[in-house]
Amino acid sequence: RVRVGYDTPIGKDLVLSLSQAFGRDVVAFSGGDRSALDATQWVTSLRERVKGSLSSSLRIDTGIDLEYRVTQYSLTAAVTDSIPQNENIDLPVSELSANVDAYQLALYAEAAWDVVPNLRLIPGLRLDTYLMSGQPRATLDPRLVVRWRVAKPTTLKSYAGVFHKSPEPEAFDSRFGNPKLGVERAVQTGLGVEHALSRNISVEAEVYYATRQNQASFTQEVEFRPDGTVQPLFWKNQAHGDTVGLDLLVRHEITKNFYGWLAYTLARSTLQRKPDEATTPTFFDQTHNLTLVASYRTDGNWEFGGRYRLVTGRPETPVLGGTFDADNDIYVPYTGPRLSGRRPLFHELDVRAEKTWVFDTWMIAGYLDITNVYNATNPEATQYDYRFRDQAPVRGVPIVPTLGVRGQW
């Protein structure tokens, strides 16, 4: 990743910010001689932003976002454009390459208006234009946040907003996706309270609800081309889902020697992938999520910190056993309802120690990070034997100590 930023004042209380970022992501896997995939994504983004005060009661934040994303695929697989009539046909392996381009240009504006000393309104509006696989799209997202300080230590807050995002690049690829896909949409709402227990310690609580429509999901539907041939759709805007939850946060502000927080989320996230399918949890539905973070800095520039996480396991589809397919000489798994099971509870402790040496114009620090201190298994998947009778967990990241040095000028 490379990021470059530049700030300059314009007028008395406004600041112009320019920032550019460039990044590259690579994903690759192999399934033997007959299947492999390499995907490389290049992302270039540019933001021009103006923010500051127009008066004692009005602040603005407005700007332009531009993003260009190129995803390159290299696929090795048995692929055909026709639908075979005989299931036992052994298709030859082909090597295919494809590029998917996506452009996004957005204009946004947000204002913070102190209507009266204890009431602040934060309206916002964002216009996004997309060009995905040569297909143009546009969305308009209104948003509003309200903050009301009912007493000196207590503030009530509420918000509502519309959010859009484009499908993943592979979903609107011209060959293996659907270039006619629309943009996905969500509406988020929430209501909360913030209360200061002391100068440095505060408590926050919030309930929220989000509904997601027009989500892209896989389909087996086909469309007929003008020449009479059949083209699979692969993807269609047909899924919708909901998320409801409660967030609790106890926070100690950053002080000279200490900061930390305790956060807990109770949530339920569901998705209906097709109109005729049952609603199930999403792949990332986690009922309980507890995080504790603390860090202490000594007067001698030593800093000691830690993070503990306790999270409900993600949903998974249980495999109940296997049956023997004599025609193909293999065992075939039979499963329970989709995403009706869960992985074991996730829990992990990470710690960090750092020593900093400060000079006139620069400083240098050495640190030790230890991820998963007590080497918890935290399964990421389940592996079965060939008959689907015995199983074993595929463990997550083991204990990982890391020594490092960082400098700042």
Side-chain angles (χ1 to χ4, degrees):
R1 298 287 190 275
V2 177
R3 298 179 183 272
V4 179
Y6 173 76
D7 295 338
T8 183
I10 53 173
K12 182 179 179 181
D13 297 312
L14 296 177
V15 176
L16 171 65
S17 300
L18 298 174
S19 60
Q20 185 170 12
F22 176 79
R24 178 176 179 263
D25 296 308
V26 178
V27 177
F29 73 86
S30 175
D33 295 336
R34 293 184 60 84
S35 63
L37 174 66
D38 293 310
T40 303
Q41 189 172 84
W42 303 83
V43 181
T44 302
S45 63
L46 176 66
R47 165 170 280 198
E48 182 177 9
R49 180 182 188 184
V50 176
K51 61 179 180 177
S53 299
L54 295 182
S55 68
S56 59
S57 60
L58 182 62
R59 293 179 57 86
I60 64 166
D61 185 350
T62 183
I64 301 174
D65 287 334
L66 177 63
E67 182 180 274
Y68 174 51
R69 187 182 299 264
V70 180
T71 306
Q72 301 172 334
Y73 296 96
S74 178
L75 174 67
T76 301
V79 179
T80 180
D81 288 331
S82 62
I83 300 177
Q85 301 299 317
N86 188 340
E87 295 182 357
N88 294 321
I89 291 178
D90 189 11
L91 298 174
V93 174
S94 303
E95 293 187 5
L96 304 173
S97 298
N99 290 350
V100 180
D101 296 345
Y103 301 83
Q104 182 176 353
L105 173 64
L107 307 176
Y108 71 92
E110 183 179 274
W113 178 30
D114 295 326
V115 182
V116 294
N118 293 336
L119 178 62
R120 172 172 289 186
L121 301 181
I122 309 175
L125 189 66
R126 182 180 177 95
L127 171 65
D128 283 278
T129 58
Y130 306 86
L131 186 64
M132 301 181 297
S133 290
Q135 300 290 329
R137 297 161 180 82
T139 59
L140 187 64
D141 298 347
R143 300 161 190 174
L144 177 64
V145 178
V146 179
R147 295 180 60 85
W148 177 31
R149 191 173 68 180
V150 296
K152 187 174 181 180
T154 306
T155 299
L156 299 179
K157 59 183 180 180
S158 64
Y159 59 86
V162 179
F163 299 82
H164 287 88
K165 66 178 288 290
S166 65
E168 296 302 319
E170 63 271 15
F172 54 85
D173 176 69
S174 58
R175 181 167 185 181
F176 302 106
N178 182 0
K180 299 179 182 179
L181 275 179
V183 179
E184 300 175 341
R185 181 178 187 268
V187 178
Q188 299 181 10
T189 57
L191 179 66
V193 59
E194 301 173 0
H195 181 76
L197 299 177
S198 66
R199 179 179 178 181
N200 295 321
I201 301 177
S202 62
V203 178
E204 299 180 23
E206 179 181 313
V207 291
Y208 59 88
Y209 173 73
T211 177
R212 303 178 299 278
Q213 305 102 20
N214 216 38
Q215 305 293 293
S217 65
F218 186 76
T219 180
Q220 294 182 338
E221 296 182 21
V222 298
E223 65 176 1
F224 292 92
R225 298 169 174 168
D227 60 2
T229 59
V230 175
Q231 169 66 33
L233 286 179
F234 295 114
W235 296 88
K236 185 178 180 181
N237 293 109
Q238 60 183 350
H240 70 271
D242 301 279
T243 298
V244 61
L246 166 68
D247 283 341
L248 298 175
L249 174 66
V250 180
R251 177 170 54 195
H252 189 290
E253 300 294 339
I254 298 175
T255 59
K256 178 183 177 182
N257 298 109
F258 180 80
Y259 76 88
W261 68 82
L262 173 66
Y264 170 73
T265 297
L266 173 66
R268 177 68 169 170
S269 184
T270 59
L271 181 67
Q272 185 181 30
R273 291 165 179 81
K274 299 178 182 179
D276 58 348
E277 286 190 0
T279 298
T280 67
T282 67
F283 288 111
F284 300 102
D285 176 61
Q286 295 170 315
T287 308
H288 304 282
N289 192 326
L290 177 69
T291 302
L292 174 62
V293 174
S295 181
Y296 179 76
R297 178 184 289 272
T298 70
D299 293 334
N301 289 332
W302 278 95
E303 185 171 1
F304 303 93
R307 178 183 66 174
Y308 179 72
R309 291 179 291 164
L310 182 66
V311 187
T312 301
R314 291 181 179 176
E316 65 179 5
T317 301
V319 176
L320 305 180
T323 58
F324 183 67
D325 181 355
D327 292 336
N328 295 293
D329 195 29
I330 60 172
Y331 279 84
V332 179
Y334 60 89
T335 64
R338 183 186 182 99
L339 298 177
S340 60
R342 283 192 179 271
R343 295 173 187 169
L345 188 73
F346 174 94
H347 53 94
E348 183 175 287
L349 175 64
D350 309 323
V351 298
R352 178 185 178 97
E354 181 175 310
K355 168 65 175 178
T356 303
W357 292 269
V358 180
F359 301 93
D360 292 338
T361 59
W362 64 288
M363 62 183 182
I364 190 169
Y367 61 86
L368 170 64
D369 273 334
I370 304 179
T371 300
N372 195 3
V373 172
Y374 53 83
N375 200 30
T377 302
N378 293 327
E380 295 288 343
T382 303
Q383 186 174 18
Y384 298 89
D385 74 331
Y386 73 98
R387 298 174 301 174
F388 299 96
R389 295 181 182 177
D390 297 323
Q391 62 185 48
V394 178
R395 68 162 301 150
V397 177
I399 181 172
V400 180
T402 303
L403 282 170
V405 178
R406 63 183 181 89
Q408 183 175 339
W409 286 264

